Amino acid sequence: MIGRLNHVAIAVPDIVAAAALYCSKFGAVVSAAVPQPEHGVTTVFVELPNTKIELIEPLGSASPIARFLEQHPAGGVHHLCYEVADLAEASRLLREQGLRLLGEPKIGAHGKPVVFLHPKDCLGTLIELEQA
Ligand code: CO
């Protein structure tokens, strides 16, 4: 069911410094910082040959990653995103097998339908599924 690793997301306290690490020190191609108020984060995408790294900084007082950063003040790996061909079908099959979805599929930061799976059902890892 799951396909390519679409991205690894890293929550960061300072997205400018985080982008500079990947751009200036690691020599990677990074996007501009894009505020995504509807998701409560600002994102920078790092393009790697085989996948992407999504740097996410809290935006606004109700950011979904604020608590994570309180617990990981220096930043940390926040979620993995796997591609699926049909998100509705994948969601149905996973629910049937007892996995909990965090809400219903919605349009994610890349303009494609996404849904998150409960980390307690996924080896302690927050997983995002994105329709490829
Ligand atoms: Co993501």
Side-chain angles (χ1 to χ4, degrees), residues 7 9 54 79 81 110 116 128:
H7 61 269
E54 179 186 59
H79 65 267
C81 177
H110 325 131
F116 286 88
E128 178 181 23

Side-chain angles (χ1 to χ4, degrees), residues 6-9 45 54 56 78-81 109-110 114 116 128 130:
N6 183 276
H7 61 269
V8 175
F45 278 95
E54 179 186 59
I56 46 179
H78 184 262
H79 65 267
L80 304 179
C81 177
H110 325 131
V114 301
F116 286 88
E128 178 181 23
E130 180 174 297

